[in-house]
Amino acid sequence: MSTPIFTKTLESATRKKIDLILANLGWNTDETSPDCNVFTERAKTTEQNKKFKGKNPDYVLYKSGTDDPIGIIEAKRSGQSLRQALNQAINLYAEPLGLDIIFVTDGSIVESHDVRSKSNLKLDDQIITEFISEKQLLKFLEHGSQLYSPEKITYTKRELIKIFSEANDLLRKEGIREGIERFAEFSNLLFLKLISEIEEDRENSGEQRILEKKYCWESFYKLDPDRMLEYVNNIILPRLVNKYNHSGDVFQQNLLIKSPENLKKIVDKLSSLKLLDADSDIKGDAFEYFLKNSVSVGTDLGEYFTPRHIVKLIVDLVDPKFGDKIYDPACGTGGFLIEAFRHIKNKCKQTKENLQILKEKTVYGREISGTAKIAKMNMIIIGDGHNNIKQMDSLKNPVKGDYNVVLTNFPFSQTTDYSAFYGFNSEDANPVFLKHIIDSLDNGGIAGVVVPEGLLFDENSEYIKIRKILLETCNVVAVIKLHEFVFKPYTGQPTSILIFEKGRQTQNVWFFDVQEDGFKKTGSKLGRSPIEANDLILLRQIWKDKENSNHSFSVDFKKIVAEKYKLSMDKYRKQGKKTTDFVKLGEVCDIVIGGTPSRKDLSLYGGKNLWVKIRDMNRQMYISNTEEKITDKGVKESNVKLLPIDTLLFSFKLTIGKVAITAKELYTNEAIAGIVPKDNRVLTKYLYYLLPRLDYSTYSQRATKGKTLNKDIMRIVEIPLPSVEIQKKIIKELDAKESEKEKHLQAVAKIAEDQDKKINELI
């Protein structure tokens, strides 16, 4: 029986999606109603329609109760260019009607545009990537393309940060450990405040309360401190435990706070705020604050917290549908699941039956740590569904074909005892997590996953194996490279986003390079402030077509197979720029790693053998002496290895890229690699100038105190290798530049000396 050939998606299919979204936002799409403010393929009046000169706009939006048009929506079928749709909307419809606001969409990706500023609409410096209500559209028309939250909301956010800080101090005095434990305690009170406001809104709109008043905020916030602590522990928490803890440990039996006065102080602060007015993700703000300021969590926060604009991007690109079962095997506080829930809710008919499916049969998460209870609380706040959040080790519990969508940022560089469940031998959890994700998808399912860059290029046999499985059993739609500041200030781990569909082999992989994501490249603990430069706008525009651009290109499956299934974007971008042959460093050089004799045995130090540490590698090109020396016994009883004269020394741990050349035979510690040319194809001095200037961001791995390479990774670093004659010419030119640089440095040093001398004369 032949395989049926299906027809292409029509523009009308996209319009059906738009109609639902607009209705959910409060627009009236019933053109038989006098209150209709959305007209399709025509303007409202004959006079307006004439201005289109026979062309038909997809949607014209109107101010309610008037004939005044306020916006255009241009809908294109899936696969058509959004940029083309935008130009069409401006020239054919917006300009003839004198309109300023335009939305273009293919049914999944939405782009907003303001004709006046020729830019996207923005709210609080974040680009608008969805349709908006009439009320909000009118605000943009009045105030321009950039809106900020009302002062009330901005003030509330400032107050929240202040309360987080004060609560953190009070909880520290209670002896509660910093980070997740302290945040979990604060979350109990945040939950009570939020759920109480939600119940109040329900009651005011005529809906039935789910949680009775006697268990809400208004029942205890005015009590004296002793009575308040007693009421929360004896009345409220037992009720919450009884109502929600059947699905696991969501609420504790008693607060960890023991001081009634401390509880009263936190409650009084929260009582003055209306949290629902502040932000749709108050828990996210609190979670970020408590962990960002935690010393013990430190750089591991990148495993817990995915920036919200990246979460929204991945959800938009994957575009989960109503009826999908969505899974996050490392859900943390539930960020991906919450965004997916909202994404689907905005696009489906909000009947009682549909909402029941959304709450009970749509989102599923697992989390090995105690943050699972925070995810459960978050699910309760957005509409329940907490029963599907489980605290467990996902890798210990394989899943086979249960889900249509997987969205996750799994923790990197972890170890696991369960790799054998997935056909692997190593304790390294990175490839195992990716296999768990592939296995959990049903055929035809789609995943959006943040992965460490090393998983995409490392020649470790387990990494090659998982890439082979991925490419042969799934269609890798895209690899989106993120710059190293995306997860700052928590971690500088190089990462990429993988988008793949299970069920058929990859034919081509589309790569996109996010060099700017709309936020300043900084590691400041204060966070990354918004900027104009944002490659995510282009990514959204060309997503359906997967166009080639200055940021993107496609690579054929056969080429990827020939490169050991590597999916690192830089691997293929370099090939397009080569003006000379590239080789792996390990092909032309031996790489020798040093060691450190035991510091407990003083007899190993103080000898005559030169022993180099990074501190010895200052500005001098050649090393002929060292700060410390080791004895013959130190050589014999350690892992140090003798390096010959004319060896390049290269620092590769924590401080990457310091170089020097050995002028005598010597030894090094384990943070320095000796790079010894195997033959006459490469000159040591050429490597001296070359290696410090290479970009190691896609090769480096995260360590406790910073970035690091290792011997195996250094072997696969690719270097340009011109002929020896050309190498000699390069060395001659760079030697001249080095002499010139030295003269300038000496001149600068002389100026600094003169300045110091002048000041010393005064004092």
Side-chain angles (χ1 to χ4, degrees), residues 195-254:
I195 205 72
S196 298
E197 291 182 12
I198 291 169
E199 293 294 355
E200 187 180 340
D201 276 7
R202 278 200 185 104
E203 194 170 55
N204 291 339
S205 61
E207 296 180 49
Q208 187 176 350
R209 294 179 72 100
I210 295 175
L211 194 64
E212 303 94 312
K213 271 189 178 180
K214 64 180 178 179
Y215 303 116
C216 290
W217 197 264
E218 54 265 40
S219 67
F220 70 86
Y221 80 98
K222 290 183 179 179
L223 298 176
D224 63 73
D226 289 316
R227 178 70 181 124
M228 180 185 291
L229 183 59
E230 181 182 339
Y231 193 90
V232 172
N233 281 337
N234 296 338
I235 305 296
I236 294 179
L237 285 178
R239 171 62 175 146
L240 295 178
V241 166
N242 182 59
K243 185 173 179 62
Y244 295 112
N245 276 26
H246 57 274
S247 70
D249 181 21
V250 186
F251 298 99
Q252 60 220 35
Q253 295 286 345
N254 292 285

Side-chain angles (χ1 to χ4, degrees), residues 389-605:
I389 307 295
K390 309 291 184 185
Q391 183 172 355
M392 64 167 65
D393 184 342
S394 292
L395 300 185
K396 185 180 179 181
N397 299 274
V399 185
K400 299 290 184 181
D402 286 356
Y403 301 103
N404 310 106
V405 176
V406 177
L407 302 164
T408 193
N409 175 13
F410 63 82
F412 307 156
S413 306
Q414 304 294 303
T415 59
T416 180
D417 296 326
Y418 307 106
S419 58
F421 291 0
Y422 303 88
F424 291 89
N425 298 315
S426 168
E427 291 184 350
D428 187 342
N430 284 345
V432 179
F433 250 116
L434 190 51
K435 184 62 162 60
H436 176 90
I437 291 163
I438 295 169
D439 289 349
S440 69
L441 283 171
D442 190 12
N443 274 344
I446 184 170
V449 186
V450 179
V451 297
E453 191 71 15
L455 189 59
L456 303 182
F457 70 80
D458 199 307
E459 294 193 5
N460 173 308
S461 61
E462 303 277 67
Y463 283 31
I464 295 173
K465 179 179 177 179
I466 188 58
R467 293 196 298 266
K468 184 175 188 291
I469 291 170
L470 174 67
L471 286 158
E472 291 181 350
T473 65
C474 301
N475 174 33
V476 178
V477 177
V479 177
I480 301 165
K481 181 186 176 187
L482 303 176
H483 64 75
E484 63 183 28
F485 287 91
V486 167
F487 286 87
K488 289 285 190 178
Y490 319 121
T491 175
Q493 172 82 47
T495 57
S496 287
I497 300 167
L498 282 181
I499 309 286
F500 58 88
E501 302 163 340
K502 184 176 177 179
R504 61 189 177 94
Q505 180 180 288
T506 301
Q507 299 301 313
N508 289 282
V509 177
W510 187 67
F511 292 88
F512 188 96
D513 186 7
V514 178
Q515 297 172 13
E516 300 288 351
D517 66 326
F519 293 88
K520 186 177 180 181
K521 291 180 177 177
T522 175
S524 169
K525 269 208 164 189
L526 296 175
R528 302 176 58 220
S529 56
I531 60 172
E532 284 297 319
N534 192 346
D535 299 327
L536 301 184
I537 297 171
L538 175 64
L539 170 58
R540 288 172 177 276
Q541 286 178 338
I542 65 177
W543 171 247
K544 287 296 180 182
D545 291 339
K546 309 294 187 299
E547 297 175 22
N548 288 348
S549 70
N550 290 336
H551 290 265
S552 59
F553 55 81
S554 294
V555 178
D556 181 73
F557 174 72
K558 291 180 180 178
K559 182 180 283 190
I560 294 172
V561 172
E563 295 291 349
K564 297 183 179 178
Y565 301 93
K566 289 178 183 175
L567 287 169
S568 174
M569 184 174 189
D570 287 341
K571 173 67 184 175
Y572 303 101
R573 177 162 46 200
K574 285 177 182 175
Q575 289 184 351
K577 293 182 177 179
K578 287 181 181 178
T579 56
T580 187
D581 290 334
F582 276 66
V583 299
K584 292 173 182 173
L585 186 60
E587 292 178 17
V588 291
C589 295
D590 289 319
I591 298 171
V592 182
I593 308 300
T596 298
S598 172
R599 288 289 186 182
K600 295 179 181 179
D601 188 347
L602 297 180
S603 69
L604 306 183
Y605 292 87

Side-chain angles (χ1 to χ4, degrees), residues 100-101 112-121 140 144-145:
D100 296 322
I101 306 294
S112 60
H113 184 81
D114 190 307
V115 176
R116 296 166 295 186
S117 63
K118 297 181 180 179
S119 64
N120 297 89
L121 300 179
F140 277 111
S145 62

